[in-house]
Amino acid sequence: MKRNTQNKTTSYPLLRYCSILLALSLLFAGVTFARYASGGSVSTGVSIPAFDAGYSIDRVNTTTFGNQDYWMNVNDVYVDQGAGTAISVGMTLKNNGGTNVQPTLRLSGPADYWDNLAIEVMDAEADGSAGERAYTPQLVLADLLRERTVMDAYNVSYGGYRTWGTDEQFSTEDSLVFGQRGETERVLTMNGALTAEGGEVTAVWTEEGKEATLRITAEKRTEQYSVGFVRKRNAELLPPLYVECKKEMTVYTVELTLPALDLAARSGEIETRLPVVIFLTWTNDLPNRSEAATSGFWDTLLYADAPFELANATSDGQSVTILGYHFDVGGVNVVDAGGNATGEETSVRLQTTLGGGVAYFHVAGINDYDGSYVHPMQSYEYGGSAVLMQCLNKDESKRIIADVTGISAVFQEEEISMTGDNGYAPIQQRGFRISFAADFVQSSELPFGGASI
């Protein structure tokens, strides 16, 4: 990575009002395919070992990014305002089968999201915290996908998609530093190009004599996302009101195949496990291409009984389908199984789907030290008159019961009516659906034990 040694005079605003909210889609288990399938009829007399590999998402420290440039000029001195803001995803790769396997980390989400991220994969300690070994260099995805139009010690901006020549070389030392943890730098062999409609880019490098690969593919598909608007009651600032939207967009799938992550077969009855931490660091300010809503929009949303379409809803003229809305309510009383207040409070999300009713979600961390994210709630029957909802935390000992009596899922239009160009609230946040997963293949062409057929 380029080390930052210069002072520049370009000025940036100290605070940015917009931010990016990551709506993290956690996939808790997964197995795809193997070169050797277990079971079935085999006529060779050679026993084929069981294939039993998977993964878990163990922790996520936060689900929110500030939409700002990582480096900011303050009185002609650049400050790494993005330091400490990386999302870290703790993942454990598992092999309980009788054959060695090779995992591929697979991350997916909108181009708007990945174009502004740097990825680094690290080893993990027993407690799930990051270790000192970097399994990858820090990979600034925009450097691998787009033409750089401005580049200095702290500043970088990008244009359209880049087309790589056959086996063209790119050194990660030529990227800016965005909170890089390891000292690993590599020369990548690049091929391919993306477009807004599709394509593929690959980066290959060598780790300990073995080939590591980053593969990024693009496709155009219709995805859901959310746009958060400022909401307040009198002088009190409330959690944003998120409008659930759907439109066609470019989506990336980012795949990392790293030899250091290969898993040996289980030893006796002991499953092979490898914990890793994936760090995602926000690099550059993302321009907001959503238009602030008008009073006519809010009136339509408030009384709609089915999804509806908005023509020319974005600054680039795209149509958007409106599916519903949600907002969070804080200070909700936690109760025991008898409906008695425990003295604790929590946050609950109320999500209205147009034509589909209201769903409740708990807004809290699943594990200790996690950031808050949503997980479902269901009605809790106890024989009293209060309306209670219980969360469905996968750890039953942490399932709370909340008293939602009197809490309305219908937004109040006066909460988003403010002074401004059109009298209504500006956009505060945008939310994307992101997935993390792992695929596995058998890492040897021979069955475990080296037997030949």
Side-chain angles (χ1 to χ4, degrees), residues 70-71 80 82-84 86 118 120 138 176-182 279 281:
Y70 184 93
W71 292 98
D80 54 345
E120 195 171 6
Q138 186 177 70
L176 297 189
V177 175
F178 298 105
Q180 183 178 353
R181 287 159 179 80
F279 283 98
T281 303

Side-chain angles (χ1 to χ4, degrees), residues 143-190:
D143 283 346
L144 309 182
L145 300 177
R146 295 187 174 273
E147 297 285 356
R148 291 193 289 204
T149 56
V150 174
M151 180 77 173
D152 59 35
Y154 297 92
N155 241 334
V156 61
S157 59
Y158 300 92
Y161 286 113
R162 176 173 184 170
T163 299
W164 293 96
T166 301
D167 294 339
E168 188 173 348
Q169 305 294 293
F170 176 82
S171 174
T172 57
E173 290 184 344
D174 294 333
S175 292
L176 297 189
V177 175
F178 298 105
Q180 183 178 353
R181 287 159 179 80
E183 294 298 320
T184 300
E185 302 292 356
R186 295 289 183 266
V187 175
L188 312 180
T189 299
M190 303 297 305

Side-chain angles (χ1 to χ4, degrees), residues 259-270:
L261 305 187
D262 288 359
L263 298 176
R266 69 172 182 267
S267 176
E269 298 301 317
I270 301 176

Side-chain angles (χ1 to χ4, degrees), residues 55-76:
Y55 66 95
S56 62
I57 303 291
D58 305 317
R59 59 181 300 272
V60 182
N61 69 326
T62 182
T63 58
T64 305
F65 278 122
N67 186 29
Q68 57 192 12
D69 293 324
Y70 184 93
W71 292 98
M72 182 177 68
N73 183 296
V74 180
N75 297 325
D76 293 338

